Amino acid sequence: GKDGLFGPCELGQRTRVFLRPQPFYRTEFSAFPAQKACWQSDQLAQLCRGHWQGGDGRPFPVESLITSLGYLDYVSKPCLFVASDFAHSARHLRLNPKAGSWDSHRVLPRNWQKFTAAMVEHPLADLPKDFPQLVVDDAMQCLIELGIAARKRFQGKVIGITGSVGK
């Protein structure tokens, strides 16, 4: 139709993908040398152009960033939860922003103690005042750009494995 096109989705389902401008992701970052932890909290704030709210103000390490509680058992600690809403995620997945209404910020008030900190798109008053929240404009954009920055600083060999089953 004139308002969009159909595209493949998970499990063979089809969803309407609206023709919108592709999001812009930064690909150049100031030097962030590899270190013992994946990231330090001050690096995250700088890369994501956000600010920390809560916590004691001292930098702390972050080994993993996850967007779902389902990944928690599989990642290294300390772990940061990345909260987003459907509209922001849809922009990066190029889906209709009106097709869903979930907001993973709602997960944090009941589960904050499982994480070292959280990346949020708006401060959450339901969290303890000393729980660190990295407040950013668009958490999914930050996550993508953190991946780009991590890949740029990685000096080892990269091997890609493709396929759908049996890796």
Side-chain angles (χ1 to χ4, degrees):
K2 66 178 182 161
D3 59 349
L5 56 96
F6 286 99
C9 189
E10 263 186 74
L11 304 176
Q13 297 173 347
R14 298 179 71 72
T15 186
R16 187 170 290 277
V17 179
F18 284 78
L19 299 174
R20 291 187 310 256
Q22 178 72 23
F24 171 78
Y25 304 113
R26 296 174 300 144
T27 58
E28 297 301 323
F29 305 93
S30 47
F32 289 97
Q35 56 210 9
K36 186 173 181 182
C38 278
W39 301 105
Q40 290 293 323
S41 57
D42 53 341
Q43 291 176 324
L44 291 172
Q46 184 180 353
L47 279 165
C48 294
R49 297 180 269 190
H51 67 276
W52 286 101
Q53 180 173 305
D56 60 13
R58 292 181 294 182
F60 56 89
V62 173
E63 277 296 326
S64 304
L65 295 94
I66 61 173
T67 58
S68 169
L69 287 174
Y71 302 123
L72 192 56
D73 292 337
Y74 306 103
V75 297
S76 301
K77 312 295 187 285
C79 181
L80 180 139
F81 184 77
V82 179
S84 185
D85 60 32
F86 183 82
H88 280 114
S89 295
R91 176 175 176 254
H92 300 285
L93 297 173
R94 301 187 50 86
L95 299 174
N96 179 354
K98 296 177 182 169
S101 62
W102 56 260
D103 185 342
S104 63
H105 291 84
R106 290 183 250 174
V107 169
L108 278 168
R110 291 183 311 278
N111 297 285
W112 66 269
Q113 69 282 2
K114 298 174 182 172
F115 302 100
T116 300
M119 181 187 300
V120 296
E121 294 168 344
H122 51 82
L124 299 176
D126 294 347
L127 298 178
K129 298 223 181 290
D130 60 347
F131 182 76
Q133 299 179 59
L134 177 56
V135 182
V136 300
D137 290 333
D138 185 335
M140 289 296 107
Q141 177 152 352
C142 292
L143 194 58
I144 291 166
E145 290 181 351
L146 284 170
I148 294 168
R151 178 62 188 95
K152 284 191 170 271
R153 78 176 181 186
F154 182 70
Q155 299 298 309
K157 292 185 180 193
V158 176
I159 299 171
I161 300 174
T162 63
S164 59
V165 179
K167 290 188 239 16

